[in-house]
Amino acid sequence: MKTNIQYISDKLKGLYPPEEIQSFIRLILEEVCHFSSTDFILHKNMILSPFEQEEIMQIVERLRLYEPIQYIFGHTWFYGNRFEVTPNVLIPRPETEELVEKIISDHRGKSGRLLDIGTGSGCIAISLALHLREMQVEGWDVSLDALTVARENARNLNAWVAFSVTDILNYDADEGISEQYDIWVSNPPYICRKEAAAMSENVIEYEPHTALFVEDHDPLLFYRVIGEAGLKQLVPGGFLYFEINALFGNECADLLNKIGYEKIEVIKDISKRDRFVIARKPLN
Ligand code: GLN
């Protein structure tokens, strides 16, 4: 056992901070050998099979190229559930769990129709469908490959979510029935291209850029398009819930105010950065 731990830490030394290497060691041994935290505390001795050793070596080689561990394992955890992830979807982030938590606490027990725009792995839509059992939940994404992952996640977790391929940037909000949704939620692409230089390699090299980036000259593009469409498609008194770039909290609130929303709130995440905006469509 010790030799395997030593092997992992030697191979990753200097490439990642020491705490991160420690956490990789635990995650790898849990994934490959089903080693629990208790086993760690007890320094359980374990003889690994050649197959397990080979698997560890392959994982470590991929980590050395900065591939995110979630893509290497093919899954991650979000709001208490395991979600499959592939490079076709953004890896769910912990701050997005805070958005899910807020929506659940605001709408517990209520019925209605909820739509997640740019659903990716489906982590928001599926978590909400599992906790707001009376809501009819839908998820849209421009990428069919992302929806394949989202549908598999919904199936694995026994959640009812209707997923469909829709490009919100080319969506005609005048078509179909108007004022049909009670809640729209979105974690759209919000990182400006010029911010990319400061981002870590494991994000830039591996995660889907369509899910991450907006053009520098129009960083609020998605909020404007979704906000405008929402005025037609949300019921009076319906809600928008957005995850945002911390740099644009006030701008995003001003924009939604200009478009015609009310009761606009900018909410901070656990790191005290502006991260969410909530707005309500007026009742009349
Ligand atoms: N929060 C993600 C990140 O920092 C970005 C998510 C997004 O663009 N919607 O990588």
Side-chain angles (χ1 to χ4, degrees):
M1 196 64 224
K2 228 200 184 81
T3 55
N4 288 292
I5 292 177
Q6 200 55 51
Y7 170 82
I8 301 172
S9 69
D10 287 350
K11 284 283 200 176
L12 300 180
K13 204 168 171 172
L15 299 175
Y16 294 94
E19 330 69 76
E20 201 166 358
I21 296 177
Q22 285 314 306
S23 118
F24 284 150
I25 290 170
R26 282 172 183 249
L27 290 170
I28 293 170
L29 293 175
E30 190 184 299
E31 177 73 12
V32 177
C33 334
H34 310 288
F35 212 65
S36 71
S37 334
T38 331
D39 295 335
F40 258 102
I41 294 161
L42 298 176
H43 298 289
K44 186 175 149 187
N45 199 11
M46 208 169 159
I47 309 292
L48 300 192
S49 69
F51 178 77
E52 287 169 328
Q53 299 204 15
E54 174 63 29
E55 214 177 325
I56 291 177
M57 281 164 65
Q58 286 178 9
I59 293 169
V60 167
E61 284 316 311
R62 290 170 73 175
L63 284 173
R64 283 170 60 82
L65 299 172
Y66 296 109
E67 185 170 350
I69 198 157
Q70 296 89 339
Y71 290 152
I72 299 175
F73 291 167
H75 63 80
T76 190
W77 290 85
F78 182 86
Y79 210 72
N81 289 306
R82 191 178 128 142
F83 285 81
E84 307 304 308
V85 289
T86 72
N88 291 316
V89 301
L90 193 76
I91 296 165
R93 307 285 203 269
E95 53 271 31
T96 309
E97 292 179 320
E98 297 177 51
L99 180 64
V100 165
E101 177 78 40
K102 173 73 181 147
I103 300 171
I104 292 171
S105 77
D106 288 353
H107 299 278
R108 201 180 298 281
K110 292 189 196 147
S111 58
R113 269 182 89 176
L114 184 154
L115 168 64
D116 174 24
I117 299 170
T119 198
S121 65
C123 64
I124 298 177
I126 292 168
S127 305
L128 292 174
L130 291 173
H131 286 85
L132 299 172
R133 306 296 298 200
E134 310 301 316
M135 290 273 174
Q136 259 176 277
V137 180
E138 289 167 50
W140 289 354
D141 205 283
V142 65
S143 155
L144 178 61
D145 292 332
L147 289 185
T148 303
V149 176
R151 288 187 176 119
E152 188 182 337
N153 282 323
R155 217 177 10 253
N156 291 345
L157 295 167
N158 282 318
W160 286 100
V161 179
F163 289 109
S164 61
V165 176
T166 306
D167 175 3
I168 189 66
L169 297 180
N170 288 302
Y171 172 66
D172 179 3
D174 290 317
E175 89 185 19
I177 313 156
S178 61
E179 303 194 333
Q180 53 180 324
Y181 293 98
D182 299 273
I183 303 169
W184 273 10
V185 44
S186 185
N187 174 19
Y190 60 65
I191 300 175
C192 294
R193 302 245 169 223
K194 62 178 179 228
E195 292 178 79
M199 290 168 72
S200 54
E201 200 168 330
N202 58 348
V203 177
I204 293 284
E205 295 287 325
Y206 291 94
E207 295 201 84
H209 285 197
T210 40
L212 286 170
F213 292 109
V214 275
E215 298 306 325
D216 295 345
H217 66 87
D218 196 7
L220 299 180
L221 170 67
F222 284 92
Y223 305 96
R224 191 173 66 247
V225 169
I226 295 171
E228 280 166 359
L231 275 191
K232 296 175 182 164
Q233 290 280 328
L234 284 168
V235 298
F239 289 91
L240 284 180
Y241 284 85
F242 283 130
E243 183 172 319
I244 59 155
N245 184 324
L247 299 173
F248 299 114
N250 293 334
E251 282 92 334
C252 193
D254 288 348
L255 169 78
L256 295 173
N257 179 41
K258 258 192 224 117
I259 295 178
Y261 287 86
E262 61 179 23
K263 294 193 188 281
I264 298 162
E265 278 179 83
V266 180
I267 298 176
K268 293 189 190 302
D269 62 18
I270 204 169
S271 331
K272 303 218 170 11
R273 308 189 73 201
D274 288 349
R275 184 63 65 203
F276 314 106
V277 173
I278 307 177
R280 204 181 77 163
K281 179 176 159 179
L283 283 166
N284 45 47

